Each structure stands twice: as C-alpha cells, then as structure tokens.
Amino acid sequence: MSRLVVVSNRVADPRRVAAGGLAVALGEALSSSGGLWFGWSGTVVERGAPDGQLHVQRAGNVTLATVDLGHDDHAAYYRGYANGVLWPVFHYRLDLANFDPGYIDGYRRVNRLFAHKLMPLLRPDDVIWVHDYHLIPLAAELRAMGCQQRIGFFLHTPLAPPLILAAIPGHEWLMRALFAYDLVGLQSQADMNHLARYLVTEAGAEQLGEGRFGAFNRQLRAAAFPIGIDVDGFIELGRGKEATETRANLREQYARRQLLVGVDRLDYSKGLPQRFRAFRTLLERYPENRHSATLIQVAAPSREDVDAYGDIRRELEGLCGAINGDFGDLDWMPIRYIHRTVARKRVPGLFAASRVALVTPLRDGMNLVAKEYIAAQDPADPGVLVLSRFAGAAEQLTEALLVNPYDTQATAEAIERALRMPLDERRLRHGRLLEEIRRHDVHWWRERFLSALSEGGPG
Ligand code: ADP
Ligand code: F6P
C-alpha cells in the first residue's frame, strides 16, 4: 500500500488540541492510516539566524516533518501573500486585500524551500496530498525537481468567481500552477463552478468532459469533495469527562435560560459583527428573550499580526460592550464573549448544552463547527442549527435554518424561530442532518479524494 504524504502549512500533533478546520480534519484523516505530515514548524527565526531547519518527530503512527521559516519569508509568504492576498480574495473580500508586489517572491521562495526539503523524504510509491492556499505552486516546484509521484491538491477555502480571482496580480501564474497536480479538490459545487468558469474564460482551457480541463499541454481533473468530521469520534469525545462536566455545569448555570453558542476563529469571514447585530435585533424585537437568551461566543485568536484581524477584534469588543451595557442586568448578561481557544475535549459539552448554534459566516469553505454541533446533540432533544447560506456546508445541511447573515432582521427572525421550534420539528431536522454528516464524514472525504487521485491517469 502506498504511503500517504500530507503537506500543509499548519502541522499539528494529531494527539493534541487544535483550532482550525484543516488541522482538525487532517489530524483525523492521517491518524487512521498513518503516514508523513510535512509543513511549517510554527517557528520563525530571527533575521540572520539559519532558517530552513528540518525537524522530524513521531506522533503515534504519523511522522511529523516540519521546517523553520526565516522572518522575511514568513512575513511575505504567510502574513503577506497567503493571508493578505489569497485569503481575502478567495473569501470575496477585495477590499481587504493588500497587493504588495513584494509578497509573491516570498510565497514562491517558501514553496520552493518546502519542495527542496520534502523531495529527499519521498519514496517512489508515495501519494502526495497538498492542502490549502499557502501551497498552490508546490506541485510545480516538485515537478521541476523531477517528482513523478501522484500529487493531489485540496483547497479548504472557498474559490471566488472568475472576475474576483482575476483581480490578483499574477493570477495567471498562480492558476496555471494547478495544472501540475493530478487532481484538484474543492469544498463545494459552487467553488467547482467558479473554477470551471475561471479555467475556460481566463486561462483559455478546453473543457474535456465533466471536471476535466486541458491547457498548457496538460490535463487537470477537478471535483467537489466536501470535507466532513469524524462523527463517531466527536460523539465519543462528548461522552468524556470534560465534555460531560462542561454540559452539566452550563445546564445548571443556565437552567432557567436559553443558551446560544458560537465557536469560531476570530476571522472577518465568520460574520461575527453581523451575528452580534442580529442578536441585538432579537432582543429588541422579541423582548421576551431578555433575561433569558444568552449567547456564548468563543472566538479563538487568529492571525493577529495581519491588520484586518486587529480591526475585527476591536469592532467585536465594541459591539459586545454596547449590547451588554444596553440590555444586561444584575443577574443576566446577553453575551459572554471569550477570546480564547476552548479545549477540544470541552467543545462537545458546550454544544450539547446549547439550544441554538449560530454559524453565520459571510463566506466559508465548509465550516466544520456546523457539523460538530449536529454530532453533539442528543437526538431525543436536539438543538437547532442556524446556518449561513454562504457556508459551503449549506449545500449539504439543507435542514438547518439557512440565513443570509447580511440580513440582520431575517437572521434575528430565524434565531427566534430556532428558540421556539417545537420538539417534533427539531427531531425531524436533526435526524436528517445527522444522517447527512454521517454519510459524508471525514473518512468518506479522505477515501473519496484518495481513490479519485489514484484512479485517473497522470495529467
Ligand atoms: P476554520 O477552518 O476557518 O477555522 P472550521 O469551522 O471549518 O473553520 O473549523 C474550525 C475548527 O476549529 C473546528 O473543529 C472547531 O471546533 C475548532 N475551533 C474553532 N474555534 C475554536 C475555539 N475558539 N475553541 C476551540 N476550538 C475551536
Ligand atoms: O481551514 C482554513 C484555515 O485557513 C486553514 O488553512 C488553517 O490551518 C486554519 O484555517 C487556521 O489558520 P492559521 O493556520 O492561519 O492559523
């Protein structure tokens, strides 16, 4: 059997807690088969100190191989091109993109460095699976060094429509780099449609059949592979001591109240200010929720050295303070805002104690929190998922209450409906949602992608 080599910017010990869909999903996908996980060590070395140092360690059946990055490389590659250009553009936020011409060189340098460090670790029958927007040109760099193994790529973010992508200076080079892969996977059908239109209209590719494109003397296969969670693993986590304790404590504390929950990285794509405004509107328009409905919003610090992230934090703190100041009382605060990562073992307990989950991103590749919330519910008395129609998950989770997060009034109405939903309807919706996340879980995702990668001939 071939060895699986996973490459991603962020590498996490699969046995430890992580915030972020990629680290959680890859940890789960890799620990079932074992293999090599290669990426950035998380260390940025000071100017003048040697960079590119490789660290290899075992974590159960997975070998972790990670590389240190130099200060300037990290700034241009991670903060600059990946999170200052590609992240905002892929999330349709041209207004937040910083097209500094210096970034792209750093992005290329780090992709080349990764290829040089990875190449000697590869075996001839390895299957290589590269993840996310940080590493789009990695296969092209590996191919230039003679790498013949199969290489697949999966994009965890959304992919914007062609004319938005076309605003990236040098987008032709970036998208052409996709043709060095044997297979490209996207989160949703909407993303797949955008890629197909981009390739035909901007790259002059010929559509050779369903998900097959020809250009630059190569063929590219692409399809949607919506990522899932380890449903049974998450349910099991919910039976653990920490989760049970968390649920019991919250249930006791909020026995006479209705709990709503949001768990996110603090990212502008997650629609947190819009969510707080919708919650405020709920309290204004449906005053019976005052002294009762309480939103626990956990927002893990993320990419704080990128400007737009500091702005969103300040905005959120202002909104939260105003809502608590205007509506709070001696014995009740409408919002409990926690700027921290909650221990993963406690997350299912937090979800289980909450009557409603607010998962309302402005744009999201998939959103695993939505699926985790469903898995954590008691099927006999489940809570209700309020989900943005702009999350990739909305293509699958059609039994959630789907909302447009930009529409504050309509979102407030959906929250009110969720809080009042009768038990029969909650059960019916939850049953269907649970069935869906079980059918398309993280194991299905991994197997489906890897079998598609091994099926097709080389590009
Ligand atoms: P993204 O990949 O953009 O961060 P996802 O919803 O797909 O978003 O995945 C987030 C993952 O990280 C989930 O597994 C979620 O439980 C976890 N997570 C996110 N925020 C927190 C937090 N504040 N505390 C603990 N876990 C978190
Ligand atoms: O899932 C989207 C994603 O950008 C991953 O690629 C990333 O690992 C995660 O969110 C957390 O972001 P970061 O690695 O920048 O902390």
Side-chain angles (χ1 to χ4, degrees):
M1 210 177 89
S2 309
R3 181 179 65 156
L4 176 61
V5 176
V6 165
V7 190
S8 60
N9 173 65
R10 187 71 68 179
V11 173
D13 183 333
R15 299 163 305 181
R16 294 223 193 100
V17 181
L22 180 145
V24 170
L26 291 187
E28 281 163 355
L30 255 174
S31 50
S32 60
S33 65
L36 174 69
W37 193 354
F38 180 94
W40 175 41
S41 63
T43 300
V44 179
V45 300
E46 287 309 313
R47 284 198 184 93
D51 58 9
Q53 167 123 21
L54 182 72
H55 310 269
V56 180
Q57 66 185 95
R58 288 291 293 182
N61 57 353
V62 180
T63 302
L64 306 177
T66 58
V67 178
D68 297 342
L69 290 180
H71 181 276
D72 294 347
D73 278 355
H74 177 260
Y77 150 79
Y78 175 79
R79 289 211 311 261
Y81 202 72
N83 288 310
V85 176
L86 298 182
W87 179 271
V89 174
F90 286 3
H91 286 83
Y92 304 27
R93 294 298 302 269
L94 283 176
D95 59 316
L96 294 178
N98 176 2
F99 296 120
D100 184 320
Y103 292 162
I104 193 142
D105 290 340
Y107 184 71
R108 281 182 173 154
R109 264 197 318 276
V110 171
N111 272 271
R112 198 163 296 149
L113 172 75
F114 272 25
H116 274 95
K117 296 288 174 182
L118 176 60
M119 197 66 186
L121 306 179
L122 294 177
R123 300 176 190 156
D125 66 341
D126 280 346
V127 170
I128 306 166
W129 193 3
V130 179
H131 291 263
D132 236 356
Y133 56 101
H134 315 82
L135 299 173
I136 294 172
L138 188 74
E141 295 292 350
L142 287 167
R143 298 279 185 230
M145 295 170 65
C147 176
Q148 303 276 326
Q149 286 88 335
R150 274 182 194 283
I151 317 181
F153 176 77
F154 187 81
L155 184 67
H156 289 251
T157 68
L159 191 72
L163 281 181
I164 296 186
L165 297 178
I168 302 173
H171 64 96
E172 301 89 344
W173 164 81
L174 185 76
M175 300 301 276
R176 181 182 177 149
L178 288 176
F179 281 80
Y181 291 97
D182 298 297
L183 177 67
V184 168
L186 299 151
Q187 295 275 29
S188 69
Q189 201 47 52
D191 300 325
M192 183 57 218
N193 295 343
H194 294 156
L195 179 65
R197 272 184 24 233
Y198 176 92
L199 292 176
V200 172
T201 59
E202 296 286 332
E206 197 186 338
Q207 183 133 24
L208 304 170
E210 185 65 25
R212 284 183 178 269
F213 304 88
F216 317 114
N217 296 321
R218 279 190 67 90
Q219 276 190 28
L220 171 69
R221 285 186 300 135
F225 300 87
I227 197 169
I229 63 162
D230 178 1
V231 177
D232 292 323
F234 203 76
I235 290 175
E236 202 44 49
L237 202 63
R239 296 199 181 108
K241 181 173 156 289
E242 289 86 348
T244 329
E245 212 175 71
T246 305
R247 188 187 56 220
N249 287 345
L250 288 169
R251 285 249 166 101
E252 192 191 326
Q253 233 178 311
Y254 291 94
R256 291 178 301 108
R257 304 214 149 103
Q258 300 255 59
L259 211 52
L260 300 94
V261 70
V263 172
D264 307 79
R265 278 184 308 102
L266 182 42
D267 193 291
Y268 50 79
S269 64
K270 302 293 180 185
L272 296 173
Q274 289 78 0
R275 186 180 304 171
F276 280 14
R277 281 191 207 104
F279 189 63
R280 180 184 187 106
T281 304
L282 174 88
L283 300 177
E284 283 165 354
R285 290 193 42 184
Y286 305 98
E288 61 277 18
N289 291 307
R290 295 183 199 170
H291 291 270
S292 167
T294 307
L295 170 61
I296 297 189
Q297 175 63 57
V298 190
S302 182
R303 306 175 196 162
E304 292 190 304
D305 42 7
V306 179
D307 289 346
Y309 288 76
D311 298 345
I312 190 86
R313 180 179 173 181
R314 279 185 290 279
E315 186 182 358
L316 211 54
E317 286 170 355
L319 277 167
C320 177
I323 296 170
N324 280 344
D326 290 346
F327 294 92
D329 214 328
L330 288 175
D331 62 346
W332 171 71
M333 276 298 153
I335 303 184
R336 270 175 72 178
Y337 168 70
I338 303 164
H339 185 231
R340 212 174 309 132
T341 301
V342 168
R344 186 151 182 81
K345 287 181 175 170
R346 299 205 172 270
V347 174
L350 172 59
F351 288 159
S354 305
R355 169 58 70 222
V356 175
L358 301 182
V359 181
T360 52
L362 303 180
R363 195 79 193 106
D364 212 333
M366 174 54 60
N367 198 294
L368 296 181
V369 168
K371 297 184 174 184
E372 291 171 352
Y373 179 75
I374 296 163
Q377 298 309 298
D378 172 3
D381 184 17
V384 181
L385 174 64
V386 175
L387 176 65
S388 164
R389 55 170 298 195
F390 304 126
E395 281 189 9
Q396 299 174 295
L397 306 181
T398 50
E399 291 292 330
L401 292 187
L402 296 183
V403 296
N404 168 5
Y406 293 95
D407 187 339
T408 309
Q409 302 281 335
T411 304
E413 278 164 29
I415 300 173
E416 170 68 5
R417 188 176 160 203
L419 287 166
R420 312 280 156 232
M421 190 178 283
L423 180 62
D424 284 357
E425 186 180 351
R426 283 191 275 126
R427 278 194 187 151
L428 190 70
R429 285 175 182 270
H430 176 260
R432 291 181 179 156
L433 290 168
L434 186 61
E435 207 176 296
E436 172 56 33
I437 61 166
R438 270 194 189 290
R439 196 176 315 129
H440 298 124
D441 68 0
V442 73
H443 309 296
W444 170 89
W445 171 73
R446 177 186 175 283
E447 276 149 33
R448 187 76 214 288
F449 186 92
L450 291 175
S451 64
L453 179 58
S454 66
E455 270 160 23

